[in-house]
Amino acid sequence: MAQAWRCAGLSWTAGGPVLIWDGGRRSALTWGKTVAFGVAEGGARTCVGARGNTCPLAARVSARSTGPRCEECARLDRAHSVAADTLADDPRPYRVYLAWFGPGMTKVGITAERRGSARLLEQGAVCFSWLGTGPLMAARRTEELLRAALRVPDRILYAAKRAARAARAALPATGEERAAEIAVLHARALELTGWPESLAPAPFRPVDHVEAFGLAEAPAPVGVVGELVAGGAVSGELVAAAGPDLHLATDRGVLVLDTRLLPGWELVPAGGRRVEVPVRALKERPAAQDGLF
């Protein structure tokens, strides 16, 4: 019987996307590389546990969920995190950013300075610019200021981000055009009163990820892997990647594989360009937000 592996998720590095496996093994992903795996026969997706500990119940997790944890382990995993606002005493500096995912889809967010732009790559931001740097709570107050004063959301549904990237013709052709919305917002944000004194504003310097994601040359995807199933397989050539998504050229056309579906399964080697798991059509992009201001 082939050795089974467990995937811990996708990470972005300076060199591009990397699959991480339980035990620390890493698989760098490059354009043209074959990504192929099968799902162990007779298995089920089980909770990956929380904060380095295994799930005491080995609870089943939905194959369609992008979260690989049961309800209790998910709660424990978020119990001491910036995202859940339970880490207010973190002394390290944080950055506030404006990220653009497609026409009419801009959000404000924060990330630890030490992480660089990794958070923006993980989210699939097509382009972004830093807005300022300071203590965690000052960054949080600035984020709230933009939400209240400029009506900039701090969350955008991932399905909307994916749909905007897939509708390639809807994305402006140049980096300058793609950065236009955040350029206006950045200027308006710096004019606001009420900025925390401890947050140092950053100049507008847009960073474009179209090349890093491989979106310029890759064919548009025709579908999305909906879930993994025991005994199924996914195999294809990597043509692009954005956020947690891998775009694979398969025998069914270019399909999007959300790597958040992998953790919790036992995976085994596979070959070819076959896809033997449920696939669904790409959702159309929802209507754009009413306005930026």
Side-chain angles (χ1 to χ4, degrees):
M1 180 178 176
Q3 180 180 1
W5 296 85
R6 285 185 172 268
C7 182
L10 185 75
S11 178
W12 280 86
T13 69
V18 175
L19 279 174
I20 302 174
W21 305 90
D22 284 3
R25 180 172 173 259
R26 300 163 72 88
S27 300
L29 301 176
T30 54
W31 310 143
K33 183 172 184 174
T34 296
V35 176
F37 61 87
V39 185
E41 293 276 2
R45 192 184 191 195
T46 56
C47 175
V48 299
R51 308 187 68 79
N53 300 302
T54 58
C55 176
L57 301 176
R60 296 287 182 93
V61 178
S62 169
R64 297 183 181 182
S65 174
T66 55
R69 295 178 175 86
C70 67
E71 184 176 339
E72 181 63 17
C73 286
R75 183 186 66 80
L76 291 172
D77 194 62
R78 289 175 60 85
H80 193 61
S81 71
V82 172
D85 278 335
T86 57
L87 198 61
D89 58 346
D90 189 343
R92 295 171 295 187
Y94 279 77
R95 282 173 161 174
V96 185
Y97 61 80
L98 289 168
W100 185 87
F101 299 91
M105 290 195 299
T106 300
K107 64 157 280 188
V108 61
I110 69 172
T111 185
E113 184 181 45
R114 61 185 174 81
R115 296 206 65 209
S117 62
R119 178 65 178 149
L120 285 305
L121 291 163
E122 292 166 358
Q123 292 185 59
V126 176
C127 66
F128 79 94
S129 178
W130 301 120
L131 191 58
T133 304
L136 174 57
M137 295 314 295
R140 278 291 188 218
R141 287 195 296 274
T142 305
E143 185 183 43
E144 178 57 35
L145 177 64
L146 264 68
R147 287 202 302 265
L150 300 182
R151 295 174 56 197
V152 186
D154 63 345
R155 286 180 177 83
I156 294 176
L157 291 176
Y158 191 75
K161 301 177 188 178
R162 177 185 288 148
R165 291 196 304 265
R168 202 68 49 75
L171 291 181
T174 68
E176 183 177 6
E177 291 174 302
R178 291 190 288 270
E181 289 185 31
I182 56 174
V184 174
L185 265 179
H186 191 283
R188 294 199 57 166
L190 293 184
E191 293 173 353
L192 293 173
T193 58
W195 268 62
E197 293 183 2
S198 55
L199 193 98
F204 180 66
R205 291 176 182 164
V207 178
D208 194 90
H209 285 155
V210 164
E211 183 175 345
F213 291 156
L215 295 176
E217 304 298 330
V222 298
V224 181
V225 171
E227 61 183 294
L228 302 186
V229 295
V234 175
S235 183
E237 179 184 298
L238 184 67
V239 296
D245 289 349
L246 302 182
H247 294 210
L248 304 177
T250 74
D251 59 354
R252 300 167 67 169
V254 175
L255 299 179
V256 175
L257 170 65
D258 189 333
T259 55
R260 294 175 297 180
L261 298 176
L262 273 60
W265 289 101
E266 288 195 339
L267 306 178
V268 296
R273 290 162 64 99
R274 60 197 176 101
V275 175
E276 298 173 348
V277 295
V279 172
R280 55 180 171 77
L282 271 166
K283 292 183 179 179
E284 291 186 7
R285 181 188 161 188
Q289 60 199 53
D290 292 337
L292 292 176
F293 317 117

